[in-house]
Amino acid sequence: MATALATVAAVLLSGSPNAHAGAAGSTPVQTFEYSVGGMTMKIPTGCMFTHIIRGSGKKISYQNAGVDCAFVDALSSGFCNWRIDFTYADTSHRTYRTSRGRTHSECKIDPMRNNSPQTLPRYGKACARLYVTGVQRASQCHHVTK
């Protein structure tokens, strides 16, 4: 599964007849520790949070975000109590919509979420945000323009 997001990104950006524009970007998930049920969990370096979006203008036809870790064996149980939110802001950086993901109590080494196609009311930016135990751990954004 370590290359799942890279494969998805390659397929999505390879040129679908319905896609007019698209973007994929990744940001490192910084090393952090958190507690679950009295146990300390550690996320090591080597994990990337990737956000993929495609569409045309304000119309988003596909959006996905997830974590891909280079050294999966280094993760003992992965990300627990995680969720991924998608947020949308106008050109003045004011967030006007949030699609909050559900919190997953199970632990996963490769948390991922898709969002429904939609048409945004204004230009600005679309972001994906990773939360673990309610704390934002990574975000990645794309500008939505004409």
Side-chain angles (χ1 to χ4, degrees), residues 56-59 88-94 96 119-126 142-146:
S56 179
K58 294 183 274 186
K59 184 175 177 148
Y88 307 92
D90 60 23
T91 55
S92 297
H93 308 290
R94 287 186 296 264
Y96 62 84
T119 300
L120 302 177
R122 33 187 129 14
Y123 292 107
K125 66 180 178 177
H142 297 290
H143 290 279
V144 178
T145 60
K146 296 180 187 178

Side-chain angles (χ1 to χ4, degrees), residues 102-139:
R102 82 174 174 89
T103 299
H104 298 264
S105 58
E106 77 276 4
C107 301
K108 287 194 73 167
I109 59 171
D110 58 350
M112 187 180 304
R113 177 178 176 219
N114 291 319
N115 203 22
S116 303
Q118 59 189 298
T119 300
L120 302 177
R122 33 187 129 14
Y123 292 107
K125 66 180 178 177
C127 300
R129 303 181 189 284
L130 171 68
Y131 293 85
V132 178
T133 62
V135 177
Q136 183 177 311
R137 297 299 181 172
S139 70

Side-chain angles (χ1 to χ4, degrees), residues 18-77:
N18 296 332
H20 295 99
S26 297
T27 189
V29 177
Q30 299 299 316
T31 300
F32 67 95
E33 292 184 356
Y34 63 102
S35 180
V36 174
M39 292 183 57
T40 299
M41 311 294 280
K42 182 174 183 176
I43 301 299
T45 56
C47 295
M48 300 295 284
F49 183 60
T50 300
H51 179 210
I52 300 166
I53 189 170
R54 67 178 177 181
S56 179
K58 294 183 274 186
K59 184 175 177 148
I60 296 173
S61 59
Y62 178 85
Q63 192 171 193
N64 172 281
V67 177
D68 192 22
C69 295
F71 304 105
V72 175
D73 294 337
L75 290 175
S76 56
S77 59

